[in-house]
Amino acid sequence: MLSKRNFAMMLTMIMVILILFLSSVVLKEYFNDYDVNHAVSDEAPAEQLESGKAGDKGTQTGTASEASDILFIGEKDNGYYDAMKEWIGYRKKSFSTASSLAEMRSRLKSYKKDKPCVLIDGELLVLNTEASSELLTEYVKEGGVVIFYRLPSYQAIEKSNALQNLLGIQHLRAESVKLQDIRLYSGFLLGGETHYSFVDVKDPKLVDMERNVPWYDISSRTKSYMVGFISEEEKVSMNLENEDLPAVIWRSSLGKGYAFAVNGDYMKGESSLGLLDAMIYETEDYVVYPVVNAQNFTAAGFPDLTVENEDKLAEVYGMTSQQFCRDILWPSLVAATEGEKWKVTSFVSVKQSDYSWNEPKEEDFIDYLKYFNEESAEAGVSLGRIGSTDISRSVMEEADTLKSWDLDYVFAGGYVRNENKDKLASLIDKDGNMEHFGNIRTVVGEYDEDNSILGWLSRRITVQNATADAYRHSYKDSLRLKSIETALGYSNVQADMYRILWPESEKDEWQSVAEKMASNIQTYWKPFAAFDKTTISESDRRVRDFLNGSVKSKRTGNRIIIETENFSQDAYLLLRTHGEHPKEMTGGTWKEVENDIYLLTLTEDNASVELESDIDTYYKE
């Protein structure tokens, strides 16, 4: 039998627990400063400098007599030029171009001492192959670097001994071989060794990488970075060693210089960014270059504050779009991102369509701002509605609604869908600010594999285009991810909520993509955990410095001296070595990303890094 004393004690404990629980809820609510965007600094953001324009276009020299860092040889509409020009801009290099063999010969003969790195489309060598190959061979022997971003045809290589010698090919085995597996070795791109298998793949959507390639045996003076594998039965029956297997990406050493070969279309588009950096690294004893050091997660078109696509949402999810956003989408986003500590940037549409039902409510939006604040997320705005013919009017209506709620929240980021991208310039005023949303500092573009990554929309507004689709990850996506991280230390993973709220088929429904999204971001970005997780406004400050800043380094003995300019705050650099690691550093700190790769954080304009190694140090004066 329960005594009165015990009953009183139990009742007291229950009351204490209840009071503590209610108090914590009240305090949490009271101290939730949801009306403040903590990702936005009070300091005025750095504007585009004249030198920062290189971040968009590079610096092109006018004539063959002018020195340049890079010589691009090929047509500008060949699918390779735009991304390579983008990389040249990021690295603040000068460049010149040649579109014919005659131009190439004229340019190469004009360089006596300071030889530019040559990026060449091998298809040009179909005409006059032998003479052009001999010229390139002499260029490499004298210390030049030549990168064949696309190889000549198998027939052209077969007919030219000079070209085979330049590329380090000792035997042409077959015009085409069907690969069972492609292996990207560690130490080239960030992210470690990766196997791309074409056999017994559970998800056939993964397999979008080129599988049939010409089969070249390369010589002992080459180094392979990516190779193809055939079946073990074929390998044994042909009595082959690993070095006889089909080469995909390799380097040939010749005299004082190097020739790089890419057997396939792997350097087409943004995948070329990191591949170029990796190849330059393979010609030097060390490299230091700036990166953004930011990993973003973008939720586009979230949340719904009115009533969208109601009949379809009721049919598919059995609830209104508002209920679906609050009860399903937001908890799912939190669960998917919290393990790796991603920070969500959510781009709100007051109305996603001009035909949205009902009117948005201020209290609903405030609830979301509270949710965002609790999870260190950021709210941005959407620029243009679905199917809007007048983007200026729809943006003005969105701005007027938010202003009528008298919020102090600073909306510093905007999101634009591809359908509205070409209309965006009409929203920029004469001072380079966004009309209607004057606090916007950066604009995120919808994921498109052909988009450039970073740049300036105006002298005051940056562009950070999405780099990955959260709902998919194929072999090409993997290579692209590794390459962009190698070049920029940057990702912007997009979860397109428009697609979920306006599904066109079952593959667009949340139950079809939610698990894939969570698995992707918790798996494929793990090798890049050394880079900071940021919201879009936090990364904007770093992007501005990346685009404006410049870095110079010089090595004397075991010490690397680094000088930076036009960084408004800490500068982030990647240091890549060959078998060496930092021992001491002044002017900043370092941490290991992976073997021989270090992320430097420079807290001063000038810094130095002392290296040490267990092997004999080699360096160039």
Side-chain angles (χ1 to χ4, degrees):
M1 186 178 213
L2 186 63
S3 68
K4 290 182 179 181
R5 182 181 177 183
N6 288 340
F7 177 76
M9 289 178 62
M10 290 177 59
L11 187 61
T12 301
M13 291 176 63
I14 292 173
M15 291 298 293
V16 169
I17 292 171
L18 182 60
I19 290 170
L20 289 173
F21 174 77
L22 292 175
S23 297
S24 65
V25 172
V26 171
L27 289 172
K28 186 177 181 181
E29 179 75 12
Y30 180 79
F31 287 108
N32 190 327
D33 53 346
Y34 63 86
D35 211 10
V36 178
N37 187 346
H38 297 282
V40 177
S41 169
D42 292 334
E43 296 179 8
E47 296 185 9
Q48 181 185 22
L49 302 177
E50 284 299 313
S51 61
K53 291 181 179 179
D56 291 324
K57 299 181 179 179
T59 304
Q60 186 164 6
T61 58
T63 65
S65 61
E66 294 183 76
S68 60
D69 301 311
I70 305 292
L71 172 60
F72 177 92
I73 303 173
E75 298 295 334
K76 294 183 180 180
D77 60 353
N78 62 7
Y80 294 87
Y81 174 74
D82 289 342
M84 292 185 177
K85 184 180 176 184
E86 181 184 349
W87 174 79
I88 291 168
Y90 293 150
R91 296 292 167 250
K92 306 293 190 301
K93 295 181 180 294
S94 59
F95 75 104
S96 55
T97 61
S99 58
S100 67
L101 290 181
E103 274 190 281
M104 180 191 80
R105 286 192 289 270
S106 174
R107 293 291 175 101
L108 292 184
K109 290 178 180 179
S110 69
Y111 300 116
K112 302 301 181 183
K113 184 178 179 182
D114 297 324
K115 298 181 182 299
C117 175
V118 175
L119 311 179
I120 185 168
D121 185 350
E123 289 196 354
L124 290 180
L125 270 63
V126 173
L127 301 173
N128 202 3
T129 307
E130 194 74 4
S132 298
S133 300
E134 289 174 354
L135 177 62
L136 288 168
T137 298
E138 288 305 309
Y139 187 80
V140 170
K141 284 182 176 180
E142 292 172 1
V145 174
V146 174
I147 297 174
F148 283 86
Y149 58 82
R150 177 164 56 179
L151 278 181
S153 67
Y154 184 87
Q155 290 78 12
I157 295 175
E158 188 176 36
K159 294 176 182 177
S160 173
N161 290 328
L163 186 53
Q164 292 175 36
N165 180 54
L166 173 63
L167 296 172
I169 295 173
Q170 62 183 4
H171 179 59
L172 286 80
R173 194 175 291 273
E175 185 173 354
S176 180
V177 60
K178 193 172 186 178
L179 302 178
Q180 304 291 303
D181 185 86
I182 289 179
R183 296 183 191 178
L184 173 65
Y185 293 130
S186 62
F188 190 56
L189 296 178
L190 269 67
E193 182 168 317
T194 307
H195 294 197
Y196 301 107
S197 177
F198 301 104
V199 180
D200 299 328
V201 181
K202 293 182 180 179
D203 184 2
K205 294 179 182 178
L206 283 173
V207 184
D208 59 352
M209 189 175 278
E210 194 169 356
R211 182 179 180 182
N212 293 285
V213 298
W215 188 346
Y216 304 111
D217 285 353
I218 53 179
S219 68
S220 58
R221 59 180 173 83
T222 63
K223 181 179 180 180
S224 295
Y225 306 106
M226 192 157 81
V227 299
F229 281 72
I230 60 177
S231 68
E232 193 62 29
E233 292 78 8
E234 290 178 289
K235 182 179 172 182
V236 171
S237 67
M238 298 173 72
N239 195 28
L240 300 177
E241 302 295 334
N242 283 343
E243 55 266 26
D244 301 321
L245 295 174
V248 179
I249 299 177
W250 71 92
R251 181 194 73 186
S252 170
S253 301
L254 202 63
K256 299 178 182 179
Y258 303 97
F260 290 84
V262 181
N263 185 17
D265 64 355
Y266 304 101
M267 289 193 76
K268 184 171 285 188
E270 302 300 302
S271 292
S272 67
L273 300 179
L275 288 171
L276 287 168
D277 275 320
M279 290 173 182
I280 297 299
Y281 157 69
E282 285 293 323
T283 68
E284 304 288 347
D285 70 299
Y286 82 96
V287 291
V288 170
Y289 57 85
V291 292
V292 180
N293 184 25
Q295 309 285 287
N296 297 315
F297 185 93
T298 291
F302 178 86
D304 172 29
L305 297 175
T306 56
V307 179
E308 309 281 354
N309 201 18
E310 205 55 28
D311 291 341
K312 185 66 174 179
L313 269 290
E315 174 191 337
V316 175
Y317 304 117
M319 58 182 70
T320 67
S321 53
Q322 288 175 305
Q323 292 169 333
F324 182 63
C325 284
R326 183 189 65 234
D327 301 335
I328 304 298
L329 289 186
W330 177 244
S332 297
L333 288 174
V334 171
T337 56
E338 64 182 354
E340 298 300 316
K341 298 182 180 179
W342 290 85
K343 295 182 178 181
V344 177
T345 302
S346 183
F347 291 96
V348 177
S349 286
V350 173
K351 286 187 176 182
Q352 292 193 358
S353 166
D354 289 332
Y355 305 101
S356 299
W357 296 2
N358 302 334
E359 288 299 318
K361 296 179 180 179
E362 179 180 0
E363 55 267 30
D364 291 340
F365 185 53
I366 289 176
D367 284 343
Y368 277 106
L369 288 181
K370 291 177 180 177
Y371 299 155
F372 297 161
N373 195 33
E374 291 170 1
E375 300 297 336
S376 299
E378 180 182 3
V381 293
S382 298
L383 302 172
R385 296 171 180 166
I386 294 175
S388 274
T389 55
D390 188 344
I391 187 174
S392 182
R393 179 181 175 183
S394 66
V395 171
M396 181 180 65
E397 289 179 358
E398 295 271 318
D400 287 345
T401 299
L402 290 171
K403 287 175 184 176
S404 71
W405 293 343
D406 198 27
L407 297 169
D408 292 329
Y409 196 91
V410 176
F411 297 99
Y415 175 83
V416 61
R417 291 162 54 82
N418 282 340
E419 65 185 78
N420 293 315
K421 184 172 62 174
D422 294 338
K423 308 169 189 175
L424 201 57
S426 65
L427 299 177
I428 306 299
D429 65 23
K430 60 183 178 60
D431 295 320
N433 294 317
M434 186 73 64
E435 289 185 346
H436 312 304
F437 285 106
N439 289 320
I440 284 183
R441 301 177 178 183
T442 188
V443 171
V444 172
E446 181 178 356
Y447 171 71
D448 186 328
E449 61 183 21
D450 294 325
N451 280 344
S452 60
I453 308 300
L454 306 170
W456 294 95
L457 181 62
S458 73
R459 64 186 178 89
R460 292 186 173 179
I461 301 175
T462 61
V463 173
Q464 302 182 64
N465 286 318
T467 62
D469 182 344
Y471 307 142
R472 54 167 271 190
H473 195 82
S474 66
Y475 288 170
K476 281 188 176 181
D477 293 330
S478 170
L479 186 65
R480 189 173 186 270
L481 167 62
K482 290 172 177 291
S483 190
I484 293 173
E485 292 284 9
T486 300
L488 304 177
Y490 178 85
S491 274
N492 189 358
V493 186
Q494 172 193 290
D496 185 0
M497 296 306 171
Y498 292 102
R499 172 179 169 182
I500 307 305
L501 296 176
W502 301 79
E504 296 181 2
S505 65
E506 287 187 5
K507 67 180 182 179
D508 299 322
E509 296 172 7
W510 187 241
Q511 59 268 25
S512 300
V513 299
E515 186 176 350
K516 183 76 171 175
M517 177 192 74
S519 175
N520 286 345
I521 65 174
Q522 292 172 13
T523 302
Y524 298 112
W525 275 264
K526 273 190 176 180
F528 315 110
F531 297 120
D532 292 345
K533 302 295 194 300
T534 58
T535 67
I536 210 68
S537 290
E538 290 171 342
S539 66
D540 168 62
R541 297 197 297 271
R542 303 180 181 200
V543 167
R544 290 170 188 271
D545 281 348
F546 174 80
L547 295 176
N548 281 333
S550 62
V551 176
K552 294 180 180 178
S553 70
K554 180 181 179 180
R555 180 167 183 167
T556 303
N558 289 332
R559 186 169 294 276
I560 299 172
I561 308 298
I562 304 171
E563 298 179 3
T564 65
E565 289 184 342
N566 299 325
F567 285 85
S568 63
Q569 52 186 356
D570 293 349
Y572 300 102
L573 316 177
L574 270 193
L575 165 65
R576 302 192 64 176
T577 68
H578 297 275
E580 297 176 282
H581 61 271
K583 178 182 178 182
E584 293 180 355
M585 182 174 182
T586 62
T589 61
W590 83 86
K591 64 178 175 180
E592 187 177 40
V593 178
E594 56 187 78
N595 190 43
D596 288 346
I597 304 175
Y598 304 90
L599 177 64
L600 309 182
T601 301
L602 270 63
T603 54
E604 299 177 16
D605 292 340
N606 298 319
S608 68
V609 181
E610 183 180 347
L611 301 179
E612 66 176 358
S613 174
D614 294 331
I615 60 177
D616 291 336
T617 305
Y618 58 99
Y619 63 93
K620 298 179 181 178
E621 293 288 352

